[in-house]
Amino acid sequence: MAQVDLAKRRRIMQRSMKLGHCICDPRRCCPCDVFKQDGICPCAGEKPKPVAAGEVKLLKMVHNAGCASKIAPTDLEAVLQRLPAVNDPAVLSGMPAGDDAGIYRLTDDLCLVQTVDVMTPCVDDAYTFGRICAANCLSDVYAMGGVPRTALSVLAFPSDSLDTEIIYQMTRGAMDVFAQADVALIGGHSIKDEEIMLGFAITGTVAAASAVRHETARCGDVIVLTKPLGTGVLGFCRQIGRPGGDEKAQAESMATLNRAAAEAMNEVGASACTDVTGFGLFGHLISLCRHSGVTAQIYADRLPAFDGAIEALAGGVVPGAIERNTEYVGDDLSTADGVPEAAVLLGYDAQTSGGLMICVPAERHEKLLAALKARGTMAATIGKIVGKSDGKIVVTLAQQDASAAP
């Protein structure tokens, strides 16, 4: 701790005691517990010796890691449905569409694509977390077929107790990913908070005619996923001291841009798309199905997973985010006989910076797989759109469906 200014401490503590509340935190009385226990007066600007950046394990400092920190989709949707409509003819896609990003028309041909995402750490290393956070925030623009242009940062950080070197490392990691994406970080906002949070508001552009939405899936579409699942449950495993699989492989996947996948999708032409993040594959898919008015058939034995994810779920490691996502999907999902419970749980697992889930007409399916392969991007054919409905998911096994696409 730095040398204490006793005169300043006395002056401020006298003011606080007269008020009956600490002037830096009205929830506390004066002298506060921090002063009694540590001999530090936060109101006077006194701080404990910061914990060095290299000693901090970020996962130990958060309640819910990564995109699992999102508000439950059921609660969020209940609020959004009560809000007034935005009656602006330039808004081509906004809150009612439930899409990944908003689209705002500037001219006949040019539209803005805008999104914002904020998350807690999902790995221990600050630089890696910054990379993952940036890739995750850019993903919504890619899912709409857009090109991201600029970013604004949103940061919450306990600067009274942690070394601000962590802020530098997170921001540096994010900027390195933005450089890969040709995106400029042009500003931001920061606040003090007890939990670390980082996010970015992204602005991109897209031609009105080529925007890809998630309410336009069609019967007969084939569904392709571009990243493995399981980051949520494996991150939770590490939080509770259990084996969490290959952390490096998971981190690299999360830090990988969905840019190449979006380029392949745009080249081939997709019916609809969404990225897979905190609401899990089934949560994002049911939103797509409800807004498109269709039923999706998903092959549980085709879902790609990181090593250890299925084993953890089968062993009873079920994070709270899975429960919240299950409630959101509700009775709109049914499973066929023989489908393992762990595979269903995997579909509900909250992902951080997951892949794109692309719905493509069957006649373009092979072209999409080839375009993804040419760009070094994983492509798993996980199901298809099988009919009209008010939004349903049927989970089966590919071996039970003779018409399953390869």
Side-chain angles (χ1 to χ4, degrees):
M1 186 176 67
Q3 185 174 358
V4 174
D5 184 337
L6 292 177
K8 180 180 179 181
R9 174 193 285 184
R10 187 179 304 110
R11 172 171 51 83
I12 290 176
M13 288 187 68
Q14 286 175 347
R15 186 188 307 162
S16 294
M17 285 187 283
K18 185 176 181 179
L19 290 171
H21 299 274
C22 289
I23 61 171
C24 66
D25 186 349
R27 297 172 298 176
R28 297 169 173 167
C29 61
C30 184
C32 66
D33 292 340
V34 176
F35 183 80
K36 293 175 181 178
Q37 294 170 8
D38 303 324
I40 294 169
C41 177
C43 295
E46 298 169 11
K47 301 180 181 181
K49 183 179 179 181
V51 179
E55 299 174 7
V56 176
K57 301 294 184 183
L58 298 185
L59 272 175
K60 297 290 186 183
M61 305 189 65
V62 298
H63 297 91
N64 301 114
C67 289
S69 58
K70 287 186 175 182
I71 293 173
T74 302
D75 296 337
L76 182 61
E77 196 168 84
V79 172
L80 295 179
Q81 288 174 347
R82 295 171 54 203
L83 294 175
V86 177
N87 297 312
D88 185 335
V91 177
L92 303 187
S93 182
M95 287 189 293
D99 222 322
D100 295 287
I103 298 179
Y104 190 88
R105 187 192 295 272
L106 293 177
T107 68
D108 289 344
D109 299 323
L110 182 64
C111 296
L112 289 180
V113 187
Q114 293 183 295
T115 185
V116 62
D117 211 333
V118 180
M119 57 191 279
T120 56
C122 54
V123 292
D124 283 327
D125 180 69
Y127 175 81
T128 304
F129 169 52
R131 292 178 61 217
I132 293 169
C133 185
N136 179 76
C137 294
L138 292 169
S139 185
D140 285 343
V141 174
Y142 290 132
M144 304 288 285
V147 178
R149 305 290 184 180
T150 64
L152 295 168
S153 66
V154 182
L155 172 71
F157 191 80
S159 55
D160 288 341
S161 58
L162 291 184
D163 193 336
T164 53
E165 174 68 14
I166 296 171
I167 298 177
Y168 169 77
Q169 292 295 339
M170 291 191 302
T171 308
R172 176 64 185 274
M175 292 186 73
D176 283 352
V177 168
F178 287 143
Q180 295 173 22
D182 298 317
V183 169
L185 179 62
I186 58 174
H189 182 70
S190 62
I191 61 170
K192 288 199 303 180
D193 194 80
E194 296 175 359
E195 192 160 83
I196 298 173
M197 286 174 275
L198 179 65
F200 298 92
I202 308 295
T203 298
T205 56
V206 68
S210 59
V212 182
R213 303 178 188 178
H214 91 324
E215 70 266 29
T216 50
R218 304 167 185 167
C219 295
D221 283 348
V222 179
I223 304 173
V224 175
L225 181 65
T226 65
K227 285 186 183 181
L229 303 170
T231 59
V233 64
L234 293 172
F236 182 68
C237 283
R238 289 190 288 275
Q239 281 187 293
I240 63 175
R242 297 199 180 195
D246 187 340
E247 185 176 0
K248 183 176 180 180
Q250 296 158 37
E252 283 306 309
S253 175
M254 290 187 283
T256 297
L257 292 170
N258 281 326
R259 180 180 189 172
E263 289 173 350
M265 174 182 71
N266 290 339
E267 175 186 308
V268 172
S271 300
C273 180
T274 183
D275 65 341
V276 180
T277 55
F279 299 158
L281 184 141
F282 290 153
H284 290 284
L285 178 59
I286 199 62
S287 178
L288 181 150
C289 288
R290 287 169 181 166
H291 285 89
S292 298
V294 297
T295 294
Q297 180 179 3
I298 295 297
Y299 306 127
D301 48 344
R302 293 273 188 88
L303 295 180
F306 287 106
D307 290 344
I310 288 290
E311 292 80 2
L313 292 165
V317 181
V318 181
I322 288 181
E323 297 294 337
R324 296 191 293 272
N325 292 339
T326 302
E327 291 172 2
Y328 174 61
V329 176
D331 295 334
D332 289 336
L333 182 143
S334 60
T335 58
D337 293 340
V339 174
E341 181 186 11
V344 178
L345 293 174
L346 180 70
Y348 287 117
D349 188 42
Q351 302 305 289
T352 298
S353 193
L356 298 187
M357 182 164 47
I358 305 168
C359 296
V360 62
E363 63 271 18
R364 301 177 191 169
H365 174 228
E366 292 297 332
K367 290 182 179 179
L368 176 62
L369 297 184
L372 290 167
K373 182 179 179 180
R375 291 168 170 82
T377 299
M378 189 204 85
T381 301
I382 63 170
K384 58 187 177 181
I385 303 298
V386 294
K388 290 287 188 180
S389 72
D390 56 358
K392 303 289 183 185
I393 300 172
V394 180
V395 183
T396 67
L397 299 175
Q399 62 191 28
Q400 298 172 338
D401 183 1
S403 66

